[in-house]
């Protein structure tokens, strides 16, 4: 190997400096060449410095496996240079081999070892000895470097693993946070759900117990929200609830909380209220916040709500009781008129319990066949004969007697039981009609059955009617379905479609309680109606009140102009009867002609003959 190539003087390319593993420090040029030549056979690069100072400069930039240091040098000798080398962190462990003449005394060697020399080599140099000594340190250096590299790799591996693990933990914590949020919030509105709201309420109660102060719960339920969902679709309903939650936020102070309990139920928690007088204004704010129309899917929607309020400590000690009482108060507000608020009163609880009991009794009553139908005759004023009967439900409640429908129909409607009960009434009336025909009553006798709005909403009314007609064998035109005006008006467009869809069955339709539901002439034209039943509130004073008389006359004229027949309900006096006949009312029904009676008495009733009309 070309020794000259391996040996680099200080002027050599600095890029090569990094490769030098042996630093040779000697002021004697010839000795340097000789040493370098001997070392060159090791195949390692050698960096040469001509003085201690130069060596120190090189050591500032490079790290060496071993330093060969001449002891005797002018200005700074090898001992001093070694001392300074040992003083530096970067090279305090680099092995130093002193190059010295044999003639130096032992004392120098001891100082040299004391300064960290690892070995001595004496001139004249024996190349094999030099190489053997240097090779030991080169090997040592190599091994140390390998160990260091392994150490670094291990460290970076540990770092990487730790980073992965940390990222995993962070993700896990984020997932946990998300789950916790989901478990405590309503997805649609982002408001606290019942669970979180109850926790907040419990905290507020604890706080109040310690420091005094009133806590109020305002419970809000939207009036007729189901109609929005049913007619405009679930998405519109959701959009309304979202918009609602935004408006509610504007009604409360920063420390108060709002929660959504599912469906159209919201609750507001008022913390630390100074006086009960401060609660009603918030409830009013809530109701007024709902007043401006909501624009959903480009359509204006008007919504109102019913609000119930309970207060700590007077209405309950714990969260559950307070929530239950606010709920009861809300129901009272809804029952009364909707769009209003009520404070809880102990009496309401009793009412709620009573109501629950009644619901259960009604369900059992239906199962145990305690419902029955009575029939009230309807007379044709043109010939005085019975034209038909109206089926009216009764509840024969054990230990109580006959309960009139006004005491329970609205509850059946609320709990949805009116649908099966209404179907039962339809079936029973049609079967009764068959029995009357078998007894010899005219086949053309009509039977009218009341149909609730809930049956309309159920979506299978037409099918039920068709099936019942077919099974009972009643002539379709003998069956008349009575639908109240308010049911039709609730959703005039949909109702008209449904009625038109049912005309194919051939049954007749009557508008019941006409005059109470604010329908307009325009609406009447839309419905395929055969009969209009004037509500008894107009008939009652028809003979004495000019306004009622004018109204009834107008209704009869208007209906006839549209090709619709008219029946007057609740006729109790001869004066009423005379008035109606004079105005060409087609039919009458009322206590004057006959009260509702059981089906098996109808034949005898009919046999009494026609009305005596002058
Ligand atoms: P409605 O359909 O308008 O029935 C007429 C009501 O007026 C009946 O009351 C009847 O007994 C009463 N009435 C008849 N003539 C007179 C009279 O001269 N004077 C007075 N003051 N009242 C008279 P009822 O039987 O108590 O029924 C009340 C309401 O309950 C019915 O009013 C109807 O809306 C509802 N209803 C009855 N049966 C059913 C049913 O099977 N299904 C549904 N959905 N509703 C029913
Ligand atoms: Mg009726
Ligand atoms: Mg009526």
């Amino acid at each position: 190997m070309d020794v000259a190539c391996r040996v680099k003087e200080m002027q050599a390319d600095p890029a090569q400096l990094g490769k030098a593993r042996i630093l040779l420090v000697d002021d004697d040029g010839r000795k340097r060449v000789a040493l370098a030549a001997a070392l060159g056979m090791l195949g390692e690069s050698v960096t040469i410095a001509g003085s201690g100072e130069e060596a120190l400069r090189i050591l500032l930039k490079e790290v060496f496996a071993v330093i060969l240091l001449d002891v005797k040098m002018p200005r700074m000798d090898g001992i001093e240079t070694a001392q300074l080398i040992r003083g530096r962190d970067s090279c305090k462990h680099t092995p130093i081999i002193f190059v010295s003449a044999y003639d130096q005394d032992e004392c120098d060697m001891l100082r040299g070892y004391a300064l960290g020399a690892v070995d001595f080599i004496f001139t004249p140099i024996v190349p094999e000895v030099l190489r053997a000594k240097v090779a030991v340190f080169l090997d040592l250096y190599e091994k140390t470097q390998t160990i260091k590299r392994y150490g670094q790799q291990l460290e970076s591996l540990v770092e990487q693993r730790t980073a992965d693990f940390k990222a995993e933990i962070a993700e896990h914590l984020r997932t946990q946070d998300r789950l916790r949020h989901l478990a405590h919030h309503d997805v649609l509105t982002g408001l606290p759900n019942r669970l979180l709201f109850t926790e907040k309420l419990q905290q507020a109660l604890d706080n109040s117990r310690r420091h005094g102060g009133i806590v109020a719960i305002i419970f809000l339920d939207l009036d007729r929200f189901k109609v929005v969902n049913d007619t405009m679709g679930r998405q519109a309903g959701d959009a309304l609830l979202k918009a609602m939650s935004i408006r509610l936020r504007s009604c409360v102070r920063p420390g108060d909380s709002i929660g959504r309990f599912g469906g159209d139920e919201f609750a507001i928690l008022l913390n630390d209220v100074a006086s009960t007088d401060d609660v009603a204004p918030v409830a009013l704010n809530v109701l007024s916040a709902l007043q401006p129309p909501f624009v959903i899917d480009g359509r204006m929607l008007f919504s109102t709500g019913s609000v119930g309020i309970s207060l700590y400590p007077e209405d309950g000690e714990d969260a559950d009781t307070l929530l239950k009482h606010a709920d009861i108060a809300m129901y009272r507000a809804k029952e009364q008129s909707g769009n209003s608020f009520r404070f809880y009163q102990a009496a309401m609880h009793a009412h709620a319990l009573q109501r629950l009991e009644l619901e259960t009794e009604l369900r059992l009553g239906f199962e145990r066949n305690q419902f029955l139908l009575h029939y009230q005759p309807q007379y044709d004023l043109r010939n005085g004969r019975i034209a038909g009967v109206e089926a009216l439900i009764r509840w024969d409640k054990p230990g109580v007697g006959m309960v009139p429908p006004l005491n329970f129909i609205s509850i059946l409607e609320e709990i949805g039981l009116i649908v099966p009960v209404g179907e039962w009434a339809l079936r029973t009336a049609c079967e009764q009609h068959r029995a009357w025909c078998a007894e010899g009553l005219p086949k053309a006798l009509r039977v009218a059955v009341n149909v609730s709005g809930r049956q309309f909403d159920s979506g299978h009314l037409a099918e039920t009617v068709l099936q019942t007609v077919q099974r009972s064998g009643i002539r379709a035109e003998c069956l008349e379905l009575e639908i109240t005006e308010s049911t039709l008006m609730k959703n005039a467009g949909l109702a008209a479609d449904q009625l038109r869809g049912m005309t194919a069955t051939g049954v007749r339709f009557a508008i019941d309680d006409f005059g109470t539901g604010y329908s307009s002439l325009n609406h009447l034209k839309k419905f395929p109606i055969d009969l209009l039943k004037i509500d008894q509130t107009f008939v009652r004073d028809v003979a004495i009140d000019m306004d009622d008389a004018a109204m009834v006359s107008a209704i009869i004229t208007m209906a006839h102009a549209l090709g619709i027949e008219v029946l007057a309900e609740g006729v109790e006096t001869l004066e009423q009867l005379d008035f109606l006949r004079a105005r060409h009312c087609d039919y009458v029904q009322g206590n004057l002609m006959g009260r509702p009676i059981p089906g098996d008495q109808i034949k005898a009733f009919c046999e009494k003959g026609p009305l005596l009309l002058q």
Side-chain angles (χ1 to χ4, degrees):
M1 183 177 296
D2 180 359
V3 174
C5 290
R6 304 280 311 148
V7 175
K8 292 189 288 114
E9 293 289 346
M10 273 308 292
Q11 304 88 325
D13 177 4
Q16 293 292 313
L17 292 176
K19 291 185 179 165
R21 302 212 322 171
I22 304 166
L23 176 62
L24 171 58
V25 191
D26 205 314
D27 61 315
D28 182 337
R30 278 190 308 153
K31 214 162 94 209
R32 284 198 310 254
V33 172
L35 282 167
L39 291 171
M41 293 185 71
L42 287 172
E44 299 291 341
S45 55
V46 180
T47 298
I48 291 175
S51 66
E53 292 91 333
E54 205 176 354
L56 287 167
R57 270 202 305 280
I58 293 170
L59 282 165
L60 282 176
K61 301 181 216 155
E62 285 185 63
V63 176
F64 293 90
V66 59
I67 302 169
L68 282 170
L69 186 55
D70 185 19
V71 175
K72 269 212 163 41
M73 286 188 292
R75 293 191 310 279
M76 187 189 288
D77 64 10
I79 302 292
E80 200 183 336
T81 308
Q83 230 169 349
L84 292 169
I85 288 173
R86 286 289 173 258
R88 284 190 191 166
D89 276 349
S90 60
C91 44
K92 69 177 167 203
H93 298 303
T94 310
I96 298 172
I97 301 174
F98 279 121
V99 181
S100 169
Y102 247 136
D103 58 3
Q104 278 181 282
D105 56 30
E106 215 179 313
C107 198
D108 265 350
M109 278 183 70
L110 290 179
R111 261 189 79 203
Y113 281 122
L115 279 169
V118 291
D119 210 345
F120 277 80
I121 190 151
F122 302 105
T123 51
I125 302 289
V126 180
E128 288 75 15
V129 175
L130 173 70
R131 279 197 292 275
K133 290 197 173 189
V134 169
V136 170
F137 293 106
L138 288 174
D139 188 43
L140 193 66
Y141 180 75
E142 191 60 51
K143 287 190 170 126
T144 318
Q145 291 305 305
T146 309
I147 291 170
K148 256 194 205 162
R149 263 199 312 280
Y150 281 148
Q152 278 166 357
Q153 276 172 5
L154 201 65
E155 238 170 60
S156 75
L157 202 68
V158 169
E159 231 167 65
Q160 173 64 41
R161 289 276 155 85
T162 315
D164 290 352
F165 191 52
K166 273 188 190 156
E168 237 172 70
I169 290 180
E171 178 57 31
H172 186 66
L173 289 176
R174 273 197 298 277
T175 312
Q176 262 190 347
D177 273 357
R178 271 201 301 275
L179 284 177
R180 198 171 307 128
H181 190 270
L182 276 179
H184 287 88
H185 291 82
D186 163 45
V187 183
L188 181 68
T189 60
L191 290 175
N193 61 12
R194 182 185 277 272
L195 188 69
L196 181 56
F197 186 90
T198 311
E199 275 172 24
K200 287 178 178 227
L201 173 57
Q202 262 148 4
Q203 280 165 13
L205 295 178
D206 287 346
N207 202 36
S208 235
R209 266 178 218 119
R210 276 196 296 274
H211 308 294
I214 298 165
V215 175
I217 299 167
I218 295 184
F219 213 89
L220 166 74
D221 187 281
L222 301 186
D223 300 329
R224 299 176 9 94
F225 175 70
K226 191 182 170 305
V227 179
V228 176
N229 253 355
D230 288 352
T231 54
M232 287 181 67
R234 183 80 194 247
Q235 271 187 341
D238 283 356
L240 176 65
L241 291 172
K242 259 190 188 170
M244 186 78 70
S245 70
I246 294 168
R247 289 204 191 164
L248 287 181
R249 283 191 174 105
S250 67
C251 300
V252 298
R253 301 170 303 178
D256 300 329
S257 310
I258 307 176
R260 182 177 169 225
F261 281 22
D264 55 344
E265 284 181 353
F266 294 89
I268 298 173
L269 165 65
L270 302 184
N271 265 312
D272 202 13
V273 181
S275 145
T276 45
D277 297 343
D278 299 341
V279 182
V282 184
L284 272 177
N285 270 351
V286 168
L287 292 176
S288 353
L290 306 186
Q291 297 259 290
F294 292 88
V295 180
I296 308 283
D297 288 347
R299 288 169 68 178
M300 287 226 281
L301 258 180
F302 289 87
S303 186
T304 57
S306 300
V307 166
I309 303 165
S310 68
L311 303 169
Y312 170 84
E314 58 185 86
D315 296 333
E317 279 292 315
D318 59 278
D320 280 351
T321 310
L322 287 163
L323 284 171
K324 192 172 69 191
H325 288 172
D327 195 26
I328 289 175
M330 183 277 290
Y331 265 102
R332 288 297 278 180
K334 197 175 279 281
E335 267 172 18
Q336 235 107 92
S337 59
N339 196 20
S340 61
F341 71 89
R342 291 289 303 261
F343 279 90
Y344 172 76
Q345 288 162 1
M348 288 178 182
H349 196 157
H351 173 90
L353 278 181
Q354 225 176 9
R355 160 71 201 249
L356 198 68
E357 215 170 280
L358 188 57
E359 278 179 29
T360 316
E361 284 172 339
L362 280 168
R363 286 183 203 280
L364 284 178
F366 182 49
E367 268 172 34
R368 295 177 184 172
N369 301 319
Q370 290 167 9
F371 291 136
L372 50 107
L373 294 180
H374 278 184
Y375 300 87
Q376 185 172 33
Q378 298 174 329
Y379 281 85
D380 188 332
L381 278 184
R382 289 159 295 199
N383 56 22
R385 289 178 199 283
I386 289 185
V389 292
E390 177 178 4
L392 295 160
I393 197 165
R394 303 289 179 258
W395 177 21
D396 190 3
K397 190 175 171 187
V400 175
M402 243 17 128
V403 183
L406 289 179
N407 294 7
F408 63 86
I409 287 282
S410 62
I411 300 172
L412 292 181
E413 282 179 335
E414 267 175 52
I415 62 178
L417 196 61
I418 193 71
V419 177
V421 169
E423 285 171 4
W424 164 85
L426 189 67
R427 232 178 17 251
T428 309
C430 290
E431 279 161 13
Q432 177 65 70
H433 188 273
R434 190 171 53 191
W436 287 327
C437 292
E439 278 182 303
L441 285 181
K443 285 196 167 41
L445 186 79
R446 283 201 287 258
V447 63
V449 180
N450 292 284
V451 175
S452 144
R454 289 292 294 261
Q455 288 174 268
F456 248 76
D457 295 341
S458 74
H460 50 78
L461 181 61
E463 198 188 317
T464 311
V465 169
L466 197 65
Q467 265 183 15
T468 315
V469 167
Q470 282 167 354
R471 284 192 190 149
S472 65
I474 189 174
R475 278 161 40 190
E477 68 273 18
C478 290
L479 177 61
E480 192 166 75
L481 300 184
E482 292 190 9
I483 301 121
T484 63
E485 187 189 19
S486 44
T487 299
L488 285 183
M489 287 307 122
K490 243 198 255 167
N491 194 330
L494 204 75
D497 287 348
Q498 287 218 32
L499 283 189
R500 251 180 257 115
M502 282 168 61
T503 45
T505 57
V507 299
R508 280 166 59 91
F509 295 111
I511 296 194
D512 205 354
D513 304 344
F514 187 81
T516 57
Y518 312 106
S519 57
S520 69
L521 244 167
N522 195 28
H523 276 130
L524 269 191
K525 267 195 319 198
K526 280 201 220 153
F527 302 121
I529 290 297
D530 302 284
L531 181 75
L532 192 150
K533 297 184 76 177
I534 304 177
D535 191 70
Q536 51 181 277
T537 47
F538 296 97
V539 175
R540 190 176 306 131
D541 295 332
V542 90
I544 47 171
D545 184 319
M546 302 261 285
D547 288 344
D548 283 352
M551 183 92 81
V552 170
S553 305
I555 293 175
I556 295 171
T557 313
M558 174 188 81
H560 284 167
L562 291 169
I564 300 171
E565 293 186 305
V566 181
L567 179 147
E569 291 188 288
V571 179
E572 293 179 341
T573 66
L574 281 171
E575 289 76 15
Q576 292 165 345
L577 187 68
D578 287 344
F579 175 90
L580 293 163
R581 204 153 68 92
R583 295 301 184 285
H584 306 292
C585 181
D586 305 289
Y587 306 96
V588 282
Q589 173 182 347
N591 292 348
L592 179 69
M593 286 70 59
R595 293 176 181 273
I597 49 171
D600 54 12
Q601 294 175 20
I602 285 290
K603 182 168 186 282
F605 194 91
C606 289
E607 282 164 358
K608 282 201 278 184
L611 281 183
L612 290 176
L613 301 168
Q614 280 101 37

